[in-house]
Structures are given as structure tokens and as C-alpha cells.
Amino acid sequence: MDFKKEYLDAVLVPAGLLFMFLYHLFLLSRYLHDPIKTSIGYENKDKETWVEKILKIPELQDANDVAVKDKVSAGLGVISSNTTATMTLASISLTLSTLIGGWIASSTNNLVPLEIVYGNISESIISIKYLCLLSCLLLAFSFFVQSARHFIHSNYLLSTPGATKEEDVEKVQKAVERGSIFW
């Protein structure tokens, strides 16, 4: 039995999916058991410290002090930049999804030039490949929208006047952390 290039998809796709699944299981267990050893946990710890320092008011200062307002204003600028970047990436994901969907819908029987596809080039397999790509882009779009939602919520919480209590700081920290995780 000769190995044909049509069999390539049957070998590489399951191997790639298995490798990706095992890596994400390893990353999840590492994040749950020792989060500081992952880049996600390390960034979350930094963001918690960042929010705490922005909302921390020294005992000698008033909550309406100019220095406090400047710190909160700088924090709002950073979160606003993250929100803008998230919405830009969501728009790009949605645009690419629309282009791929339009490409699939407008094609009759020749979806792609056969020279650029290696592996199985039957119409059903090519359609499945496009649908998988389309679903990945739509999933990315939904994650970016959730990230923007959490960043907007943290922006709202951070700009609340007098939000310097420990509970308020924890709420802002959670919102910023969730926005970053969906990123």
C-alpha cells in the first residue's frame, strides 16, 4: 500500500489536534496548580498590582485629590487602548469570516485553485476545511467581544468616583483579568 497525498489530512489533522489538546490540558493544569509559572498567571498578578496601585489612596490624600484623578485617568487610557485593540481584532475576525463565507457561497464547484491545496482536494473535504476555518474565526470574534465587554466593565468600575474600598479594587481586578483572559 502506497502512501498517497490524500491520506495526509487523515494523519496530520488528528495529530495536530491531539498535540494542541494535550498542550492546552498541560497549560490548564499548570495555571490551576501554579499560575505564577505561566505567562497568563504572571500577567494577571501584574494587572492586579497595577489596579491596586491606581486605586490606592495614601492616608494623607483625599479621594478627590488631583494625583488620584491623574492615576485613574492614566488607567482609563490604558484600558481604553485595550478595548480599542480588542474591537479592532473582533472586526478583523468578522471581516475574514464574511469573506470566507462569501467565497464558499459564490463558488460553484471550484472553491480554490488546486495548486495551493496539498492533501485531499475533493469538494467535500475542501468545504469542511473552509467551514472549520470559518468556525475558528467566528469563535475568535466571540472571544474578542467578551474581552471588550469585560474591559468596558472595568473602565466603568475604575471611573466610579470614590471606588477605593477593598471590594471595589477586587471588582476592578477581576474585570481586567477576565478581559485579558478572553484576549
Side-chain angles (χ1 to χ4, degrees), residues 5 14-15 58 64 72 82 86 100 117 120 127 132 146 153 160 172:
K5 77 176 192 176
N64 295 324
V72 170
N82 282 342
T86 301
I100 290 174
V117 175
N120 196 342
S127 296
C132 288
Q146 288 299 314
H153 183 66
T160 304
V172 177

Side-chain angles (χ1 to χ4, degrees), residues 131-147:
L131 289 175
C132 288
L133 186 60
L134 182 65
S135 64
C136 288
L137 287 169
L138 289 174
L139 186 66
F141 169 74
S142 66
F143 282 157
F144 285 132
V145 168
Q146 288 299 314
S147 178

Side-chain angles (χ1 to χ4, degrees), residues 31 40 44 47 143 147 151 175-183:
Y31 179 72
I40 299 168
N44 288 343
K47 287 177 179 137
F143 282 157
S147 178
F151 279 136
V176 170
E177 183 179 326
R178 286 182 182 157
S180 299
I181 286 175
F182 276 109
W183 179 275

Side-chain angles (χ1 to χ4, degrees), residues 164-175:
T164 57
K165 297 179 197 163
E166 188 63 33
E167 307 90 45
D168 298 331
V169 172
E170 288 176 9
K171 285 180 185 177
V172 177
Q173 287 172 339
K174 279 187 178 181

